[in-house]
């Protein structure tokens, strides 16, 4: 009578409850679930990348969010579905069964992953463990090609303790399916998922063999944001520096203009310094690009200062040396293909000689007129009769006229010298500008080619 009541109570229990009691009866979760201890437990794993949460170049850390799946066969969790109302699978708390110690070798921090307390078990003992994981791993990040860089970070799954004789790992899906699967990836952020490569490896440590499955997550940075906010402003400032060469070198506006550009570029570098990634082992090429651009601005300012100093008017400035005049105003003008050679030719005008000729002619005429026609000369000068006082006044007037003549001669000579140096300065300015322009263009083409190659690769 008691046995009949027991059978009635057992049959009155729900199928899932009876199945759970049946599976947990005498189950030891601390023992690897195999009937034959020589039998290896193979854990099949799979990884799907959901999102790239962060890339810390300074600390060399990658934060990803993945969907991790694994299954294995538990030989102690089997049953006949016919005895339990054709129940073929059941969810069991993870803490009540044996779970393999599969970890990621590159873990450096515990992520805020949700806790999934259950696993699915089917009647053949196949245990399916699905869980999302926020993975904070160490990764060797190469930032030299920033912002056109491609990063390859690995996630290595292996048993932390068990050898390959106890626990082996294998790939759930085929390598091709894992590589091309981007179905769950959020493709709206800074990083683009290129592929997920899988690799199985067996290694020996202290005469024991271990198995590991490595997933290589290959991601690529989208460079549009950095190209707009970093490269274009720098290029605009460099273009303005080149345009500044069209200001006349003898005006002081060019020096102040280029100093303003240099100060503006310095402020620009201060603003973008927080945007550029930094590591202790290297610097990105874009940082070198900014430094070289600033160096070019400094060279441009130095060239402008030298040219302005060369063409600056000075009273005690000597004539242009003959060798420099021939080299600059004759040979370099031909080299630069300057068509208006009269403008830059040897136009040294000896105004002092012309003044001397005019003075000698005027003095001779004056002397001739005063000796041959003294009366007419005196009458024209308003002098009735020559006297000693009038002669002294005439000498003073002639002395003042001679002083004025000497001053005008000196001024004309200074103007001629300044004009000669101005012509030399203009030619040298054109020469240095073309050299500077070739250097800037060559540097720009080289950087653009390298970045274009990296972006396509």
């Amino acid at each position: 009578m008691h046995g009949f009541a027991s059978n009635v109570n057992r049959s009155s229990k729900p199928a899932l409850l009876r199945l759970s009691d049946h599976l947990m009866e005498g189950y030891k979760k601390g023992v690897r679930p195999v009937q034959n201890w020589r039998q290896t437990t193979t854990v099949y794993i799979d990884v799907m990348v959901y999102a790239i949460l962060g890339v810390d170049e300074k600390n060399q850390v990658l934060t990803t969010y993945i969907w991790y799946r694994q299954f294995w066969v538990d030989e102690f969790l089997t049953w006949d579905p016919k005895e339990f109302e054709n129940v073929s699978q059941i969810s069991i708390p993870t803490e009540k069964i044996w779970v393999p110690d599969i970890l990621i070798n590159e873990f450096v921090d515990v992520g805020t992953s949700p806790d999934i307390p259950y696993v699915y078990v089917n009647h053949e003992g196949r245990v399916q463990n699905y869980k999302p994981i926020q993975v904070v791993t160490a990764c060797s990040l190469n930032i030299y090609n920033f912002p056109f860089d491609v990063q390859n970070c690995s996630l290595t799954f292996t048993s932390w303790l068990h050898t390959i004789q106890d626990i082996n790992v294998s790939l759930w899906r085929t390598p091709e399916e894992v590589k091309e699967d981007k179905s769950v990836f959020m493709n709206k952020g800074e990083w683009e998922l290129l592929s997920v490569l899988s690799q199985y490896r067996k290694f020996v440590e202290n005469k024991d063999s271990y198995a590991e499955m490595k997933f290589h997550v290959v991601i690529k940075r989208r460079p549009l944001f950095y190209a707009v906010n970093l490269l274009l402003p720098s290029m605009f400032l460099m273009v303005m520096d080149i345009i500044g060469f069209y200001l006349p070198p003898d005006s002081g506006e060019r020096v102040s203009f280029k100093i303003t550009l240099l100060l503006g570029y310095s402020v620009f570098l201060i603003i973008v310094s927080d945007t550029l990634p930094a590591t202790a082992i290297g610097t990105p090429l874009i940082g070198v690009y900014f430094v070289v651009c600033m160096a070019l601005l400094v060279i441009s300012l130095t060239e402008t200062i030298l040219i302005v100093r060369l063409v600056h008017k000075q009273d005690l400035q000597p004539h242009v040396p003959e060798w420099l005049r021939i080299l600059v105003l004759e040979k370099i003008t031909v080299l630069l293909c300057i068509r208006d050679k009269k403008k830059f030719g040897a136009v040294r005008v000896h105004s002092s000689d012309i003044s001397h000729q005019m003075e000698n002619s005027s003095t001779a005429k004056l002397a001739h007129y005063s000796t041959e026609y003294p009366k007419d000369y005196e009458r024209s000068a308003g002098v009735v009769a020559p006297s000693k006082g009038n002669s002294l006044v005439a000498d003073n007037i002639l002395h003042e006229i001679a002083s004025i003549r000497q001053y005008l001669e000196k001024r004309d000579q200074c103007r001629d010298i300044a004009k000669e140096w101005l012509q030399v300065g203009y030619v040298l300015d054109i020469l240095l500008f073309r050299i500077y322009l070739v250097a800037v263009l060559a540097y720009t083409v080289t950087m653009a080619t390298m970045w274009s190659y990296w972006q396509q690769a």
Side-chain angles (χ1 to χ4, degrees), residues 116-133:
I116 307 299
Y118 294 97
V119 294
Y120 254 133
V121 182
N122 68 358
H123 67 281
E124 296 177 348
R126 173 171 169 167
V127 183
Q128 299 180 5
N129 187 11
Y130 296 177
K131 53 185 177 180
I133 306 176

Side-chain angles (χ1 to χ4, degrees), residues 45 120 131 153 172 243 250 266 277 283 297 347 373 389 447 456:
I45 61 179
Y120 254 133
K131 53 185 177 180
C153 298
W172 188 328
I243 295 176
D250 54 335
S266 302
T283 182
L297 291 177
V347 291
Y373 307 98
M447 297 298 297
Q456 293 177 359

